Amino acid sequence: MSKIAKKKALVAYPQKYDNLLDTNVHRRIGYRQGYDKATQDFLEKACDYLQKNLWRVIIEDGEFRQRFVTDFKKYMQNESEN
């Protein structure tokens, strides 16, 4: 599990008492697993989009590059299915 997920889980679900009585242990584990899975899914989707569309950035002008970034953001937010 990532260090970032571990830190964020501890912030979201602070440690209570000691390890034996910590009622947030399972919540932190679930948070970390969900965070890591979401990060992995995000990166896979980003790589898929870039593999299909990055060639356009190389051959197009600067204005297109800005449009590319906008399209990428929309794709990552499921607003477009390029």
Side-chain angles (χ1 to χ4, degrees), residues 49-63:
Y49 181 85
L50 293 172
Q51 286 176 347
K52 292 177 181 174
N53 297 286
L54 193 56
W55 64 271
R56 296 188 303 167
V57 174
I58 296 167
I59 62 173
E60 297 288 341
D61 61 13
E63 181 182 322

Side-chain angles (χ1 to χ4, degrees), residues 32-56:
R32 290 190 315 243
Q33 289 172 341
Y35 187 96
D36 286 339
K37 176 66 172 137
T39 300
Q40 180 183 357
D41 291 350
F42 179 87
L43 288 174
E44 288 174 5
K45 186 172 182 178
C47 288
D48 180 57
Y49 181 85
L50 293 172
Q51 286 176 347
K52 292 177 181 174
N53 297 286
L54 193 56
W55 64 271
R56 296 188 303 167

